[in-house]
Amino acid sequence: MDKLSLVTENESLRKLLQGASEAGFFKLENAPLSELSALEGKVLVDYELLKNPSKSSEETLLLAAMSKELNALIEKSLSELQRVKKLHEQIVPLREESIKGIKLLSKYGAGESSGGDFFDVIKGEGELLLLMTSSSSYVVSSMILSLFDNLRAKKRMDRQAMEGFLNSVVAEVLRVTQENPKRKAAPPQCFIARIDLKRKAVEGFIFGGCEFVSDNKVCYSGNEFQINPAFFEQAWFEFKMERGERFLLLSPGVKKNCGEFIDGRPYLSWLRDAMKGESRNMLHETFYQLKKNRERDFLAYDASVIFIEVDQHALVQV
């Protein structure tokens, strides 16, 4: 449930809220649950009205009662959202695909922070398009995924198509920011890359903390670039895969959860060694390490890892 629609299920409370809104006590709006968590159980109410002598004591008490009921609904809704995230992690622990000599295996771990990680794959004619996005707002993340889905209609997903997608993201983030100027959210982070399945060539963009590393020599670390045409050239990368080579695409949450160290070692060094083993075991062990010191069910932050392997006998067009 992305909106605070529970409010409408209580008819008396709905009328109370609507009446208070029309009376000018506060602005009634359907805030995304992901952003309500930042309120720490408090409702966005103009508390100066409680001190306003022009308002009667009866109106003040009404507003206080309404605030208490609404806080209870928010806590219930956030609790349900956390339960859904946990259920998703248990039901869909691994996602596996194999396309023309490329194996993809991914795992996601739910975090307690608002927003989160999302990734998707588009299969084209002789190519793959990978997207990983991380945001502090579910609204922004879902908007990016929706724009990415529009690329499925493209006949060719080249650099021009990727830049068109990124420009659309810039425009939509600006629109959301202008519509909600009081809601401060960190800029979204994004990894988008095209894999040419014939040439085994990779090209794409990294904006923010996503990382793309191999068990060999390739390592594209995170950066401070925001999604903006001014940084397109600097955020661009390209290279060719080798037969048998293994890669990991890491969301920003991996580094944030481990604090740059796993089992007492620099996390990238630990991950490179772990990549030498069986892929499923490696993913399970990685998330065990991220979670082993947590007393709660969730990680501190959402984390996603995509394992990519080129078949030893894959055909490569020169």
Side-chain angles (χ1 to χ4, degrees), residues 188-244:
Q189 304 175 75
C190 180
F191 171 99
I192 183 170
R194 171 182 175 269
I195 300 178
D196 185 318
L197 295 174
K198 294 179 181 179
R199 298 174 51 245
K200 301 299 183 286
V202 185
E203 58 183 14
F205 297 91
I206 297 180
F207 296 94
C210 293
E211 296 180 289
F212 195 60
V213 300
S214 79
D215 61 349
N216 189 4
K217 58 184 181 298
V218 175
C219 181
Y220 292 97
S221 299
N223 55 54
E224 299 296 324
F225 303 139
Q226 294 186 23
I227 305 175
N228 188 298
F231 301 120
F232 281 0
E233 198 60 42
Q234 293 160 283
W236 176 258
F237 69 92
E238 55 186 329
F239 68 94
K240 289 199 70 172
M241 295 171 152
E242 298 178 5
R243 292 186 182 94

Side-chain angles (χ1 to χ4, degrees), residues 127-240:
E127 60 186 358
L128 286 177
L129 198 63
L130 301 178
L131 172 76
M132 180 176 284
T133 179
S134 182
S135 171
S136 59
S137 166
Y138 284 119
V139 174
V140 173
S141 291
S142 61
M143 174 268 293
I144 293 175
L145 282 175
S146 178
L147 291 173
F148 183 72
D149 199 52
N150 294 337
L151 291 176
R152 296 183 193 277
K154 295 283 186 181
K155 293 184 178 180
R156 180 171 171 76
M157 296 174 283
D158 54 11
R159 178 169 180 170
Q160 184 178 359
M162 287 188 277
E163 289 189 354
F165 160 76
L166 292 169
N167 281 320
S168 296
V169 171
V170 172
E172 283 299 298
V173 169
L174 179 61
R175 180 186 63 80
V176 170
T177 303
Q178 290 175 339
E179 290 178 356
N180 304 276
K182 292 183 179 180
R183 293 180 189 160
K184 301 296 183 181
Q189 304 175 75
C190 180
F191 171 99
I192 183 170
R194 171 182 175 269
I195 300 178
D196 185 318
L197 295 174
K198 294 179 181 179
R199 298 174 51 245
K200 301 299 183 286
V202 185
E203 58 183 14
F205 297 91
I206 297 180
F207 296 94
C210 293
E211 296 180 289
F212 195 60
V213 300
S214 79
D215 61 349
N216 189 4
K217 58 184 181 298
V218 175
C219 181
Y220 292 97
S221 299
N223 55 54
E224 299 296 324
F225 303 139
Q226 294 186 23
I227 305 175
N228 188 298
F231 301 120
F232 281 0
E233 198 60 42
Q234 293 160 283
W236 176 258
F237 69 92
E238 55 186 329
F239 68 94
K240 289 199 70 172

